[in-house]
């Protein structure tokens, strides 16, 4: 009888021990840096970094503006990294713009060098937030702040511009009227011939975001000297970020054969007929000046 009791107790103990959930194991700094370096080469940040994202955030990686896939432009090389504890005051400042479902404990600052041509070298620094875990780290990120309270009814029509202290300097919030029947898109046009250079948000994307708060459009990352950068082929590249409903991402568009050297945001955007000017870009090509506009267009 005594041996039977002991065997039952042992079986129960082993069963409980076997059911205990094992803490997820993080990756080393070197592994995460190597994955980031691969993403710099082909632009597939989600593909390379997703295996190292915290398990509670994997399903939300599409909401991380700074981890979106993008087409590689100039050749970029990772030339340095510094891992340090996250500073509470810096995280608090970011919380004006982002919510952190998993609070970071460390920041991995990555220094990247780009050489658009033989005479030019551009250096930028990008923070990658991490949380310490068993055996290493997980990548964590902030999602765009949804606000502390939800409005009781549809938000009123509103179009605003602001300068920020977060990862992107310039932010436009585009909120159509709640009963609007029109469709909207965000595009880049050449002033000279009114031709569309790029469509940044399609009517399908904006329609899916209808009634879910303003569409947010961001230009000029805070680690860049200008909102545009040259490419090895003589084009100009303009990175941007956006949030449309539950979808967020980072991307870029290219202005072919033009060396951009001027940019101006429209600080009080308003419709002129069915177009709303958000920003202007200008540059030189073949000794002449070319101008471009970023516009919010309704149909």
């Amino acid at each position: 009888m005594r041996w039977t009791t002991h065997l039952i107790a042992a079986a129960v103990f082993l069963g409980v021990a076997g059911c205990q959930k094992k803490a997820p194991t993080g990756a080393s700094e070197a592994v995460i840096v190597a994955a980031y370096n691969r993403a710099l080469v082909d632009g597939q940040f989600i593909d390379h970094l997703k295996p190292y994202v915290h398990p509670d955030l994997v399903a939300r990686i599409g909401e991380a503006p700074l981890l979106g896939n993008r087409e590689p432009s100039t050749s970029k090389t990772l030339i340095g990294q510094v891992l340090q504890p996250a500073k509470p005051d810096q995280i608090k400042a970011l919380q004006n713009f982002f919510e952190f479902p998993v609070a970071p404990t460390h920041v991995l600052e990555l220094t990247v060098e780009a050489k658009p041509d033989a005479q030019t070298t551009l250096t930028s620094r990008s923070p990658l937030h991490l949380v310490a875990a068993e055996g290493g780290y997980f990548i964590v990120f902030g999602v765009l702040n949804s606000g502390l309270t939800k409005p009781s009814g549809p938000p009123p029509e509103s179009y605003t511009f602001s300068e920020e202290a977060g990862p992107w300097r310039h932010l436009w919030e585009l909120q159509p009227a709640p009963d609007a029947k029109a469709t909207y898109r965000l595009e880049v046009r050449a002033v000279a011939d009114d031709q569309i250079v790029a469509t940044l948000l399609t009517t399908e994307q904006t329609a899916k975001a209808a009634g879910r708060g303003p569409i947010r459009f961001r230009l000029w990352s805070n680690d860049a000297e200008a909102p545009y950068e040259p490419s090895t082929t003589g084009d100009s590249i303009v990175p941007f970020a956006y949030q449309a409903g539950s979808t967020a991402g980072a991307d870029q568009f290219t202005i072919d054969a033009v060396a951009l050297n001027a940019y101006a945001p429209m600080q009080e955007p308003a419709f002129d007929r069915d177009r709303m000017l958000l920003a202007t870009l200008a540059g030189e090509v073949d000794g002449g000046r070319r101008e471009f506009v970023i516009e919010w267009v309704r149909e």
Side-chain angles (χ1 to χ4, degrees):
M1 186 70 175
R2 183 179 299 172
W3 279 104
T4 302
T5 302
H6 287 174
L7 287 172
I8 293 173
V12 170
F13 174 79
L14 290 173
V16 171
C19 292
Q20 287 180 343
K21 188 177 180 181
K22 185 178 180 181
T25 302
S28 69
E29 175 189 350
V31 168
I32 293 174
V33 168
Y36 190 89
N37 203 19
R38 292 193 295 272
L40 283 177
V41 175
D42 62 13
Q44 303 305 298
F45 283 81
I46 291 179
D47 297 342
H48 292 300
L49 298 181
K50 188 175 182 178
Y52 312 107
V53 169
H54 191 279
D56 292 349
L57 293 173
V58 170
R60 304 188 67 178
I61 194 169
E63 299 179 52
L66 303 182
L67 297 184
N69 291 342
R70 65 207 70 163
E71 289 296 324
S73 52
T74 56
S75 176
K76 296 181 179 180
T77 306
L78 188 64
I79 61 173
Q81 73 262 3
V82 176
L83 179 67
Q84 55 190 358
K87 297 179 180 179
D89 56 337
Q90 293 178 345
I91 300 301
K92 185 177 180 180
L94 287 174
Q95 287 173 340
N96 292 326
F97 315 98
F98 296 97
E99 298 170 339
F100 283 92
V102 178
T105 61
H106 291 74
V107 178
L108 180 61
E109 187 176 85
L110 301 154
T111 303
V112 176
E113 184 178 83
K115 293 186 176 181
D117 54 56
Q119 291 76 35
T120 306
T121 299
L122 303 175
T123 302
S124 63
R125 293 181 177 85
S126 299
L128 195 63
H129 292 93
L130 307 176
V131 61
E134 184 71 26
Y137 304 91
F138 284 109
I139 298 171
V140 298
F141 50 80
V143 296
L144 292 171
N145 201 325
S146 60
L148 299 178
T149 59
K150 294 184 178 180
S152 56
E157 182 175 25
S158 175
Y159 297 95
T160 61
F161 165 84
S162 59
E163 296 199 36
E164 307 288 341
W168 297 84
R169 301 189 189 194
H170 291 165
L171 164 66
W172 289 264
E173 293 194 342
L174 312 169
Q175 177 65 66
D179 57 351
K181 304 300 182 184
T183 57
Y184 300 84
R185 64 183 185 273
L186 186 63
E187 61 191 20
V188 184
R189 288 178 177 265
V191 173
D193 54 13
D194 204 38
Q195 293 298 306
I196 298 175
V197 174
T199 299
L200 310 184
L201 287 175
T202 65
T203 54
E204 289 78 12
Q205 288 175 298
T206 59
K208 289 180 180 179
R212 302 186 181 182
I215 290 173
R216 296 180 173 94
F217 172 63
R218 300 171 186 268
L219 278 180
W220 198 351
S221 63
N222 257 321
D223 61 358
E225 295 181 1
Y228 41 78
E229 60 183 74
S231 76
T232 54
T233 58
D235 306 329
S236 291
I237 298 162
V238 184
F240 66 94
Y242 66 89
Q243 180 193 19
S246 61
T247 302
D251 208 336
Q252 62 188 27
F253 63 89
T254 301
I255 295 180
D256 296 334
V258 178
L260 292 174
N261 55 26
Y263 158 77
M266 179 58 66
Q267 301 195 20
E268 296 182 1
F271 276 112
D272 181 5
R273 297 184 180 179
D274 288 323
R275 295 186 186 182
M276 178 181 292
L277 177 64
L278 302 186
T280 60
L281 298 159
E284 305 294 330
V285 57
D286 297 331
R289 189 167 182 79
R290 294 286 301 276
E291 296 182 349
F292 304 85
V293 292
I294 302 175
E295 292 181 323
W296 177 250
V297 179
R298 66 183 172 195
E299 295 180 332

